Every structure is written in structure tokens, then in C-alpha cells.
Amino acid sequence: MIPDPARFDFDPLLDFTTDVLTAGGCRETDARIVARHLVDANMVGHDSHGVGMLPAYLAHIKKGLVELDAELEWLNRMPALLQADARGGWGAPAAYTALDEAAARASELGLSCCTLANAHHLGRIGAYAEHLSAKGLASLHFVNVYDHAPLVAPFRGSDARFGTNPICIGFPETAKNPPFLLDMATSIIALGKVRVAANKGITVPPGTLLNDQGMPTTDPSGMAGFEIRGALTPFARHKGYGLAYASEILAGVLSRSGTIQPQHERRGGIQNSMFSIILSPAAFAETDWIDQEIAALGEYVTQSPPMDWDSPVLIPGAPERAWRGKREREGIPLDEKTVDQLNTLAEGLGIPDRLKGE
Ligand code: NAD
């Protein structure tokens, strides 16, 4: 039996996470932004990209795999084309800075494109699309992952050659509909989900993992933490593989940070580069038309009779909203092993407060 997890409210978990990052040497403004990004990932059900990342982040600080004093550098600031380099600094602060500027351009011009190179882990990409949606903007994001050994096998391959290269598409709320959010790894399951399964001592679904012999397995232990023995598989066979490949080209090549190919040094950290297109829907069509068409489409699709009456058809983004509501009411559950890992970190950094939960 898996024991009931302890539960935490957003604000105390945010304060704890900020304190750990600050005590680890992170600038206070960065710590707050990175911490909020992590806790918010837990809030919407993506525990794989939540506070459970802290031990890895602290290990990166210790090994110099994240630049604590980095300042975002603009490589290109043409009206509709922005290119930024995070210079190895924290992902979320760099991404919000770059995307805010791109958002201002998209609002003015109808669309803009932004690349971000050499950012430490960008975490849950959907948070950036949500941020832009809140400004009334649609966005597409292609992300590649590097600076560590690859994790995902190419279709027909038996060992890892890609990161979990996420892709995300967001569309803002309309008169009757909440924002659309498609935010997904190009592996069937994200690495963090394998880590969560390993921490809980449970198996992963068949078809999602290969062992170090290239054979299918459901045992996540070889992929726990960052000691990678084996490979994740791409979703939808050649199609997910093709999207992972596209992310390497769009994010890795066009941002100028480089792809996963092995001529680039792999130091054992996590770096992301991101290619984003930001669109102002109002520049493309009348708002009334968009409102009416989005509402009719949503109604049409979700009225498909569900194969299982307990699992109705959902619009992408609905699961995250449902998790947010549930966790606002019930708190964020963290398994015992994660809480222990976080408290051990805090102890090592001389932070007096510990996570206790309810
Ligand atoms: P997931 O499979 O949980 O969800 C993928 C998408 O499907 C979401 O948009 C969700 O709203 C939608 N969805 C889920 N169930 C649905 C249903 N029944 N009907 C309709 N839509 C549904 O996500 P994932 O692939 O496990 O990715 C998890 C997170 O990991 C993402 O936030 C991603 O950005 C992040 N990630 C980050 C990196 C990185 O390097 N920074 C790498 C990989 C993944």
C-alpha cells in the first residue's frame, strides 16, 4: 500500500522553495521566480516538474552547472524577431523576460518570434503559454534539452538520442471558453514521471521505457534521478520522434545554442533552448468570429459520447485546470521520499524550517 502523502499549501511551499534556492546561492529575485514556477507545476498536477526538481537544481548550483550571476543577453532585436541568450542562467526568469518583450511586439505587430538560448531548465513550458494567454496572446513553443545524456530513443532506435523535447501550444480564453493548452513532452512520459514512479516504487506503463539492452521494460529504477540506464520512447512512434527532431532544429539550431549532437559538451546539467512564435488572434480574425467558432468547436468535440462514461472528452488544458482547483482546495501532495529529500536539503543548507505538511 502506498502511504497517504503529506499535503502542502502553495504559499508555505513557495517560501520553503525560495529559501532553499536563496540559501543555495541563487539571487533572491531569481529564487522567487524559479520557486513559483516549480510550485505552480505541482499546483497543476505536473509533479515531475515541481519542487521535486530542487535536489537536482541544488546539485547543479554546487557543480557550477547554472550561472548564478548570468544576465540575459539580446543577440537580435529586430521588430518581429527577438533572440536572447540566457548565458547559462536560470530558465524561468530568462524566459519570462524574453517572452514579455516578444509579447509586446506581437501585440503591436500581430506576431513575433523569439528564440532563447542556453537557459537552465525551463521547467513546465505550459506556464509560459499561460502567461501569454493571460495577455490575450496565442503561442507555439518548441524546446530542446541538452547538457546531459540523451533520454529518448528515436523511432526504430534502441538507445537514447534526444531529450524529452517538449512542444506547447496555447490559445487565450474566448467569450465562452477557457484557454486552450497543449503542453507535452515528445516522449510518451516525461523523465520526471519516471522519477516520480521510481520514488513511489511503482512501475511505468508498458511501451514507455527501454532498458540498457534496448528491450522494453516497465521497471523505472534504471531511470531514477539522473543515472540514466535505458531510454524513454517517443509518443506516437515516428510522429513524436519527428516532433522531437523538429524541436532540435527550431530550438537548438535557430537559437544558436546547439542541438543534442555529441560534439557539444554534456556536463550533466539540464539546459533548454526554446523557439516561440507569439500571435495576437485579433490580428488574424474578428474577435466575435473567433469566440463563436472556438465555442462551437469545443461543444462539437466534447459531445462525442465517451467510450467510458466516467472519462468524458476533454479539451487540452482542462486537466491542468482541474488539478489547480483540486490542489487549491486540498493542498499539494508530496510523497514521503520527496519530502525527506527536500528536508535533507534544507538541513544541509542550515534552513531552520522543515516541510511537515498535513
Ligand atoms: P501530459 O501527458 O500530462 O499532458 C499533455 C497535454 O495533454 C496537456 O496539454 C494536457 O492538458 C493534455 N491532456 C492530458 N489529458 C488529456 C485528456 N484526457 N484530454 C485532452 N487533453 C489532455 O504532459 P507530459 O507530456 O507528461 O509533459 C509534462 C510536462 O513536462 C509539460 O509541462 C512539459 O512542458 C514538461 N516538460 C519539460 C521539459 C523541459 O526540458 N523543460 C521536458 C519535457 C517535458
Side-chain angles (χ1 to χ4, degrees):
M1 263 260 294
I2 300 171
D4 267 356
R7 289 181 181 274
F8 302 87
D9 286 335
F10 187 95
D11 286 331
L13 199 51
L14 175 65
D15 290 341
F16 175 87
T17 308
T18 309
D19 288 350
V20 168
L21 286 165
T22 312
C26 187
R27 287 182 296 221
E28 194 139 354
T29 43
D30 288 341
R32 200 85 190 158
I33 296 169
V34 174
R36 183 172 290 279
H37 194 72
L38 291 175
V39 179
D40 195 64
N42 288 112
M43 205 64 190
V44 295
H46 290 294
D47 296 329
S48 57
H49 285 70
V51 295
M53 291 300 298
L54 269 180
Y57 282 15
L58 266 290
H60 294 166
I61 294 178
K62 256 195 190 149
K63 293 180 192 156
L65 298 173
V66 50
E67 294 298 330
L68 299 178
D69 299 323
E71 299 290 346
L72 185 95
E73 184 188 346
W74 290 104
L75 306 176
N76 192 350
R77 261 177 142 171
M78 278 152 54
L81 171 55
L82 295 162
Q83 292 189 280
D85 189 330
R87 314 287 294 163
W90 293 107
Y96 286 115
T97 303
L99 291 173
D100 278 345
E101 175 109 18
R105 308 290 177 103
S107 299
E108 191 188 329
L109 301 168
L111 88 174
S112 69
C113 181
C114 176
T115 62
L116 176 65
N118 300 314
H120 183 259
H121 193 222
L122 288 168
R124 183 176 80 95
I125 307 304
Y128 307 115
E130 285 170 355
H131 180 71
L132 293 164
S133 276
K135 295 173 187 268
L137 297 166
S139 60
L140 292 83
H141 309 267
F142 292 81
V143 176
N144 79 333
V145 196
Y146 54 101
D147 203 25
H148 62 70
L151 303 169
V152 183
F155 178 60
R156 296 188 173 178
S158 61
D159 70 358
R161 301 288 157 137
F162 287 105
T164 48
N165 294 4
I167 290 177
C168 175
I169 300 174
F171 197 92
E173 81 174 335
T174 49
K176 287 196 179 147
N177 291 67
F180 171 92
L181 178 70
L182 178 65
D183 171 30
M184 59 189 196
T186 45
S187 50
I188 301 181
I189 53 173
L191 176 68
K193 291 196 171 147
V194 183
R195 191 191 68 229
V196 170
N199 273 358
K200 286 182 180 166
I202 58 175
T203 56
V204 294
T208 58
L209 209 54
L210 305 177
N211 66 18
D212 55 0
Q213 305 299 308
M215 299 303 289
T217 178
T218 55
D219 174 6
S221 54
M223 303 284 277
F226 285 89
E227 36 146 316
I228 308 301
R229 294 193 310 272
L232 299 164
T233 51
F235 80 87
R237 296 160 60 84
H238 54 289
K239 301 175 189 181
Y241 156 59
L243 286 173
Y245 210 126
S247 288
E248 290 295 338
I249 296 172
L250 293 173
V253 177
L254 295 187
S255 74
R256 310 184 206 174
S257 62
T259 66
I260 187 84
Q261 60 92 354
Q263 284 166 7
H264 299 297
E265 190 190 1
R266 292 171 184 160
R267 304 172 303 166
I270 316 177
Q271 295 235 332
N272 283 141
S273 46
M274 178 159 70
F275 170 90
S276 306
I277 297 178
I278 297 103
L279 308 162
S280 170
F284 288 76
E286 297 279 337
T287 303
D288 285 352
W289 156 258
I290 295 176
D291 286 350
Q292 174 257 305
E293 199 59 22
I294 295 268
L297 174 69
E299 227 168 88
Y300 176 63
V301 173
T302 53
Q303 280 174 5
S304 173
M307 292 172 79
D308 167 359
W309 284 102
D310 288 330
S311 303
V313 175
L314 303 175
I315 298 175
E320 284 78 4
R321 264 194 312 282
W323 280 115
R324 193 183 287 285
K326 185 171 164 62
R327 291 188 170 185
E328 273 169 5
R329 289 189 304 275
E330 298 175 3
I332 295 169
L334 294 179
D335 65 81
E336 206 180 320
K337 195 158 178 183
T338 301
V339 174
D340 281 352
Q341 284 171 347
L342 298 184
N343 282 335
T344 307
L345 267 188
E347 195 177 344
L349 291 164
I351 296 173
D353 295 333
R354 297 283 179 280
L355 286 177
K356 291 194 190 77
E358 285 167 20

Coordinates of all heavy atoms in Angstrom, one line a residue, residues 72-86 91 93-106 109 111-117 122 125 128 132 138-144 247 249-256 272-279:
L72 N 20.6 38.2 -18.9 CA 20.1 37.8 -20.3 C 20.8 38.8 -21.3 O 20.9 40.0 -21.1 CB 18.6 38.1 -20.3 CG 17.9 37.7 -21.6 CD1 17.4 36.2 -21.5 CD2 16.8 38.6 -21.9
E73 N 21.2 38.2 -22.4 CA 21.9 39.0 -23.5 C 21.0 38.9 -24.7 O 20.6 37.8 -25.1 CB 23.3 38.4 -23.8 CG 24.0 39.2 -24.8 CD 25.3 38.5 -25.2 OE1 25.7 37.5 -24.6 OE2 25.9 38.9 -26.2
W74 N 20.7 40.1 -25.3 CA 20.0 40.1 -26.6 C 20.9 39.9 -27.7 O 21.9 40.6 -27.9 CB 19.2 41.4 -26.7 CG 18.1 41.5 -25.8 CD1 18.0 42.3 -24.6 CD2 16.8 40.8 -25.8 NE1 16.8 42.1 -24.0 CE2 16.0 41.2 -24.7 CE3 16.2 39.9 -26.7 CZ2 14.8 40.7 -24.4 CZ3 14.9 39.4 -26.5 CH2 14.2 39.8 -25.3
L75 N 20.7 38.9 -28.6 CA 21.5 38.7 -29.7 C 21.0 39.4 -31.0 O 21.7 39.6 -31.9 CB 21.6 37.1 -30.0 CG 22.0 36.2 -28.9 CD1 22.0 34.8 -29.3 CD2 23.4 36.6 -28.4
N76 N 19.7 39.6 -30.9 CA 19.0 40.1 -32.1 C 17.7 40.8 -31.6 O 16.9 40.2 -30.8 CB 18.6 39.0 -33.0 CG 18.1 39.4 -34.4 OD1 17.9 40.6 -34.6 ND2 18.0 38.4 -35.3
R77 N 17.5 42.0 -32.0 CA 16.2 42.7 -31.5 C 15.5 43.4 -32.7 O 15.3 44.6 -32.6 CB 16.6 43.7 -30.4 CG 16.3 43.2 -29.1 CD 16.8 44.2 -28.0 NE 15.9 44.3 -26.9 CZ 16.1 45.0 -25.8 NH1 17.2 45.7 -25.7 NH2 15.2 44.9 -24.8
M78 N 15.3 42.6 -33.7 CA 14.5 43.2 -34.9 C 13.1 43.3 -34.4 O 12.7 42.6 -33.5 CB 14.7 42.3 -36.1 CG 16.0 42.6 -36.8 SD 16.7 41.2 -37.7 CE 15.4 40.7 -38.7
P79 N 12.3 44.1 -35.1 CA 10.9 44.3 -34.6 C 10.1 43.0 -34.3 O 9.6 42.8 -33.2 CB 10.2 45.1 -35.7 CG 11.3 45.8 -36.3 CD 12.5 44.9 -36.3
A80 N 10.1 42.1 -35.3 CA 9.3 40.8 -35.1 C 10.2 39.6 -34.7 O 9.6 38.5 -34.5 CB 8.5 40.5 -36.3
L81 N 11.5 39.8 -34.6 CA 12.4 38.7 -34.3 C 13.3 39.0 -33.2 O 14.2 39.9 -33.3 CB 13.1 38.3 -35.6 CG 14.3 37.3 -35.4 CD1 13.8 36.0 -34.8 CD2 14.9 37.0 -36.8
L82 N 13.1 38.3 -32.1 CA 13.9 38.6 -30.9 C 14.7 37.3 -30.7 O 14.2 36.2 -30.7 CB 13.0 38.9 -29.7 CG 12.2 40.2 -29.8 CD1 11.1 40.1 -28.8 CD2 13.1 41.4 -29.6
Q83 N 16.0 37.5 -30.3 CA 16.8 36.3 -30.0 C 17.6 36.7 -28.7 O 18.3 37.7 -28.6 CB 17.8 36.0 -31.1 CG 17.1 35.5 -32.3 CD 18.0 34.9 -33.3 OE1 18.6 35.7 -34.1 NE2 18.2 33.6 -33.3
A84 N 17.4 35.9 -27.7 CA 18.0 36.1 -26.4 C 18.9 34.9 -26.0 O 18.6 33.8 -26.4 CB 16.9 36.3 -25.3
D85 N 19.9 35.2 -25.2 CA 20.8 34.2 -24.7 C 20.8 34.3 -23.2 O 21.1 35.4 -22.6 CB 22.2 34.4 -25.3 CG 23.1 33.2 -24.9 OD1 22.9 32.5 -23.9 OD2 24.0 32.9 -25.7
A86 N 20.4 33.2 -22.5 CA 20.3 33.2 -21.0 C 21.6 33.1 -20.4 O 21.8 33.2 -19.2 CB 19.3 32.2 -20.5
G91 N 16.3 29.3 -16.0 CA 15.4 29.3 -17.1 C 14.2 30.2 -17.0 O 14.0 31.1 -17.9
P93 N 13.3 32.9 -15.1 CA 13.5 34.4 -15.2 C 13.8 34.8 -16.6 O 13.3 35.8 -17.1 CB 14.6 34.7 -14.2 CG 14.6 33.5 -13.3 CD 14.2 32.3 -14.1
A94 N 14.7 34.1 -17.3 CA 15.1 34.5 -18.6 C 13.9 34.3 -19.6 O 13.7 35.2 -20.4 CB 16.3 33.6 -19.1
A95 N 13.2 33.2 -19.5 CA 12.1 33.0 -20.4 C 11.0 34.1 -20.2 O 10.5 34.6 -21.2 CB 11.5 31.6 -20.2
Y96 N 10.6 34.4 -19.0 CA 9.6 35.5 -18.8 C 10.1 36.8 -19.3 O 9.3 37.6 -20.0 CB 9.2 35.6 -17.3 CG 8.3 34.4 -16.9 CD1 8.8 33.5 -15.9 CD2 7.1 34.2 -17.4 CE1 8.0 32.4 -15.5 CE2 6.3 33.1 -17.0 CZ 6.8 32.2 -16.1 OH 6.0 31.2 -15.7
T97 N 11.4 37.1 -19.1 CA 11.9 38.4 -19.7 C 11.8 38.4 -21.2 O 11.3 39.4 -21.8 CB 13.3 38.6 -19.2 OG1 13.4 38.6 -17.8 CG2 13.9 39.9 -19.7
A98 N 12.3 37.4 -21.8 CA 12.3 37.3 -23.3 C 10.9 37.3 -23.8 O 10.6 38.1 -24.8 CB 13.1 36.1 -23.8
L99 N 10.0 36.5 -23.2 CA 8.7 36.4 -23.8 C 7.8 37.7 -23.5 O 7.0 38.0 -24.3 CB 8.0 35.2 -23.2 CG 8.6 33.8 -23.7 CD1 7.9 32.7 -22.9 CD2 8.4 33.6 -25.2
D100 N 8.1 38.4 -22.5 CA 7.4 39.6 -22.2 C 7.7 40.6 -23.3 O 6.8 41.3 -23.8 CB 7.7 40.2 -20.8 CG 6.9 39.5 -19.7 OD1 5.9 38.9 -20.1 OD2 7.2 39.7 -18.6
E101 N 8.9 40.7 -23.7 CA 9.3 41.6 -24.8 C 8.7 41.1 -26.1 O 8.1 41.9 -26.9 CB 10.9 41.6 -24.9 CG 11.3 42.5 -26.1 CD 12.0 43.8 -25.7 OE1 12.4 43.9 -24.5 OE2 12.1 44.6 -26.6
A102 N 8.7 39.8 -26.4 CA 8.1 39.3 -27.6 C 6.6 39.5 -27.6 O 6.0 39.8 -28.6 CB 8.4 37.8 -27.7
A103 N 6.0 39.4 -26.4 CA 4.5 39.7 -26.3 C 4.2 41.1 -26.7 O 3.2 41.4 -27.4 CB 4.1 39.4 -24.9
A104 N 5.0 42.0 -26.2 CA 4.8 43.4 -26.5 C 4.8 43.6 -28.1 O 4.0 44.3 -28.7 CB 5.8 44.3 -25.8
R105 N 5.8 43.0 -28.7 CA 6.0 43.1 -30.2 C 4.8 42.5 -30.9 O 4.3 43.0 -31.8 CB 7.2 42.4 -30.7 CG 8.5 42.8 -29.9 CD 8.9 44.2 -30.3 NE 10.1 44.6 -29.5 CZ 11.3 44.7 -30.0 NH1 11.5 44.4 -31.3 NH2 12.3 45.1 -29.3
A106 N 4.3 41.3 -30.4 CA 3.2 40.6 -31.0 C 1.9 41.4 -30.9 O 1.1 41.4 -31.8 CB 3.0 39.2 -30.4
L109 N 2.5 44.1 -33.5 CA 2.7 43.8 -34.9 C 1.8 42.7 -35.4 O 1.7 42.4 -36.6 CB 4.1 43.3 -35.2 CG 5.2 44.3 -34.8 CD1 6.6 43.6 -34.8 CD2 5.2 45.5 -35.8
L111 N 2.3 39.5 -34.8 CA 3.0 38.3 -34.4 C 4.5 38.6 -34.1 O 5.0 39.6 -34.6 CB 2.9 37.2 -35.4 CG 3.8 37.1 -36.6 CD1 3.5 35.8 -37.4 CD2 3.7 38.2 -37.5
S112 N 5.1 37.8 -33.4 CA 6.6 37.9 -33.2 C 7.2 36.5 -33.0 O 6.4 35.6 -32.7 CB 6.9 38.8 -32.0 OG 6.5 38.2 -30.8
C113 N 8.5 36.4 -33.2 CA 9.2 35.2 -33.0 C 10.3 35.4 -32.0 O 10.9 36.5 -32.1 CB 9.7 34.7 -34.3 SG 10.5 33.1 -34.2
C114 N 10.5 34.5 -31.1 CA 11.6 34.7 -30.1 C 12.3 33.4 -29.9 O 11.7 32.3 -29.8 CB 10.9 35.1 -28.8 SG 12.0 35.3 -27.4
T115 N 13.6 33.5 -29.9 CA 14.4 32.3 -29.5 C 15.1 32.6 -28.2 O 15.5 33.8 -28.0 CB 15.5 31.9 -30.6 OG1 16.4 32.9 -30.8 CG2 14.8 31.5 -31.9
L116 N 15.3 31.6 -27.4 CA 16.0 31.7 -26.1 C 17.0 30.6 -26.1 O 16.7 29.4 -26.2 CB 15.0 31.6 -24.9 CG 15.7 31.6 -23.6 CD1 16.3 32.9 -23.3 CD2 14.6 31.3 -22.5
A117 N 18.3 31.0 -26.0 CA 19.4 30.0 -26.0 C 20.0 29.8 -24.5 O 19.9 30.8 -23.7 CB 20.5 30.5 -26.9
L122 N 13.9 25.0 -18.2 CA 12.8 25.9 -18.3 C 11.5 25.4 -17.6 O 10.5 26.1 -17.4 CB 12.4 26.2 -19.8 CG 13.4 27.0 -20.5 CD1 13.1 27.0 -22.0 CD2 13.3 28.5 -20.1
I125 N 6.7 24.0 -19.6 CA 6.6 25.0 -20.7 C 5.2 25.6 -20.7 O 5.0 26.8 -21.1 CB 7.0 24.4 -22.0 CG1 8.3 23.6 -21.9 CG2 7.0 25.4 -23.2 CD1 9.5 24.5 -21.5
Y128 N 4.5 29.2 -19.6 CA 4.8 30.4 -20.4 C 3.6 30.6 -21.4 O 3.3 31.8 -21.6 CB 6.1 30.1 -21.2 CG 7.2 29.7 -20.3 CD1 7.8 28.5 -20.4 CD2 7.7 30.6 -19.3 CE1 8.9 28.1 -19.5 CE2 8.7 30.3 -18.4 CZ 9.3 29.0 -18.5 OH 10.3 28.7 -17.7
L132 N 1.3 34.0 -21.5 CA 1.0 34.8 -22.7 C -0.5 34.8 -23.0 O -1.1 35.8 -23.4 CB 1.7 34.2 -23.9 CG 3.3 34.3 -23.8 CD1 4.0 33.4 -24.8 CD2 3.7 35.8 -24.1
A138 N -1.8 34.1 -28.3 CA -1.6 32.6 -28.6 C -0.1 32.4 -28.7 O 0.6 33.4 -29.1 CB -2.4 32.2 -29.9
S139 N 0.3 31.2 -28.5 CA 1.8 31.0 -28.7 C 2.1 29.5 -29.0 O 1.3 28.6 -28.7 CB 2.5 31.4 -27.4 OG 2.1 30.6 -26.3
L140 N 3.2 29.3 -29.7 CA 3.7 28.0 -30.0 C 5.1 27.9 -29.5 O 5.9 28.9 -29.7 CB 3.7 27.7 -31.5 CG 2.4 27.6 -32.3 CD1 1.9 29.0 -32.6 CD2 2.7 26.8 -33.6
H141 N 5.5 26.8 -28.8 CA 6.9 26.7 -28.3 C 7.4 25.4 -28.6 O 6.8 24.3 -28.4 CB 6.8 26.9 -26.7 CG 6.1 28.1 -26.3 ND1 6.7 29.3 -26.0 CD2 4.7 28.3 -26.1 CE1 5.8 30.2 -25.7 NE2 4.6 29.6 -25.7
F142 N 8.6 25.4 -29.1 CA 9.4 24.2 -29.4 C 10.7 24.2 -28.5 O 11.4 25.3 -28.6 CB 9.8 24.0 -30.9 CG 8.6 23.8 -31.8 CD1 7.8 24.9 -32.2 CD2 8.3 22.5 -32.2 CE1 6.7 24.7 -33.0 CE2 7.2 22.3 -33.1 CZ 6.4 23.4 -33.5
V143 N 11.0 23.2 -27.8 CA 12.1 23.2 -26.8 C 13.0 22.0 -27.0 O 12.5 20.9 -27.2 CB 11.5 23.2 -25.4 CG1 12.6 23.2 -24.3 CG2 10.6 24.5 -25.2
N144 N 14.3 22.3 -27.0 CA 15.2 21.1 -26.9 C 15.9 21.1 -25.6 O 15.9 22.1 -24.8 CB 16.1 21.0 -28.1 CG 17.3 21.9 -28.0 OD1 17.2 23.0 -27.4 ND2 18.4 21.6 -28.7
S247 N 12.1 20.0 -32.9 CA 12.5 20.9 -31.8 C 14.0 21.1 -31.8 O 14.4 22.2 -31.5 CB 12.0 20.2 -30.5 OG 10.7 20.3 -30.3
I249 N 15.8 21.2 -34.4 CA 16.2 22.1 -35.5 C 15.7 23.6 -35.1 O 16.5 24.5 -35.2 CB 15.5 21.7 -36.8 CG1 16.0 20.3 -37.3 CG2 15.7 22.8 -37.9 CD1 15.3 19.7 -38.4
L250 N 14.4 23.7 -34.7 CA 13.9 25.0 -34.4 C 14.6 25.7 -33.2 O 15.0 26.8 -33.2 CB 12.4 25.0 -34.2 CG 11.6 24.6 -35.5 CD1 10.1 24.4 -35.2 CD2 11.8 25.7 -36.6
A251 N 14.6 24.9 -32.1 CA 15.1 25.5 -30.8 C 16.7 25.4 -30.8 O 17.3 26.4 -30.5 CB 14.5 24.8 -29.6
G252 N 17.2 24.2 -31.1 CA 18.7 24.1 -31.0 C 19.5 24.8 -32.0 O 20.4 25.5 -31.7
V253 N 19.0 24.7 -33.3 CA 19.8 25.4 -34.3 C 19.5 26.9 -34.4 O 20.4 27.7 -34.4 CB 19.5 24.7 -35.7 CG1 20.3 25.4 -36.8 CG2 19.9 23.2 -35.7
L254 N 18.2 27.2 -34.5 CA 17.9 28.7 -34.7 C 18.2 29.5 -33.5 O 18.5 30.7 -33.7 CB 16.4 28.8 -35.1 CG 16.0 28.2 -36.4 CD1 14.6 28.5 -36.8 CD2 17.0 28.6 -37.5
S255 N 18.2 29.0 -32.3 CA 18.6 29.8 -31.1 C 20.1 30.0 -31.0 O 20.6 30.8 -30.3 CB 18.1 29.2 -29.8 OG 19.0 28.1 -29.5
R256 N 20.8 29.2 -31.8 CA 22.3 29.2 -31.9 C 22.9 28.5 -30.7 O 24.1 28.6 -30.4 CB 22.9 30.6 -31.9 CG 22.3 31.5 -33.0 CD 23.0 32.8 -33.1 NE 22.2 33.9 -33.6 CZ 22.6 35.1 -33.6 NH1 23.7 35.5 -33.2 NH2 21.7 36.1 -34.1
N272 N 18.0 24.1 -21.6 CA 16.9 24.2 -22.6 C 17.2 25.3 -23.6 O 17.7 26.4 -23.1 CB 15.6 24.4 -22.0 CG 14.9 23.2 -21.3 OD1 14.3 23.3 -20.3 ND2 15.1 22.0 -21.9
S273 N 16.8 25.2 -24.8 CA 16.6 26.4 -25.7 C 15.2 26.3 -26.2 O 14.6 25.2 -26.3 CB 17.7 26.5 -26.8 OG 17.9 25.3 -27.4
M274 N 14.7 27.4 -26.5 CA 13.2 27.5 -26.9 C 13.0 28.4 -28.1 O 13.6 29.4 -28.2 CB 12.4 28.0 -25.7 CG 10.9 28.1 -26.0 SD 10.0 28.2 -24.4 CE 10.4 29.8 -23.7
F275 N 12.2 27.9 -29.0 CA 11.8 28.7 -30.2 C 10.3 29.0 -29.9 O 9.5 28.0 -29.8 CB 12.0 27.8 -31.4 CG 11.4 28.4 -32.7 CD1 12.1 29.2 -33.5 CD2 10.1 28.0 -33.0 CE1 11.5 29.7 -34.7 CE2 9.5 28.5 -34.2 CZ 10.2 29.4 -35.0
S276 N 9.9 30.2 -29.9 CA 8.5 30.6 -29.7 C 8.0 31.5 -30.8 O 8.7 32.4 -31.2 CB 8.4 31.3 -28.3 OG 8.9 30.6 -27.3
I277 N 6.7 31.2 -31.2 CA 6.0 32.2 -32.0 C 4.8 32.7 -31.2 O 4.1 31.9 -30.6 CB 5.5 31.5 -33.3 CG1 6.7 31.0 -34.1 CG2 4.7 32.4 -34.1 CD1 6.3 30.3 -35.4
I278 N 4.7 34.0 -31.2 CA 3.6 34.6 -30.4 C 2.7 35.3 -31.3 O 3.1 36.1 -32.2 CB 4.2 35.6 -29.3 CG1 5.1 34.7 -28.3 CG2 3.1 36.2 -28.5 CD1 6.5 34.9 -28.5
L279 N 1.4 35.1 -31.2 CA 0.4 35.6 -32.1 C -0.7 36.4 -31.4 O -1.2 36.0 -30.3 CB -0.3 34.4 -32.8 CG 0.6 33.4 -33.5 CD1 -0.2 32.1 -33.8 CD2 1.2 33.9 -34.8

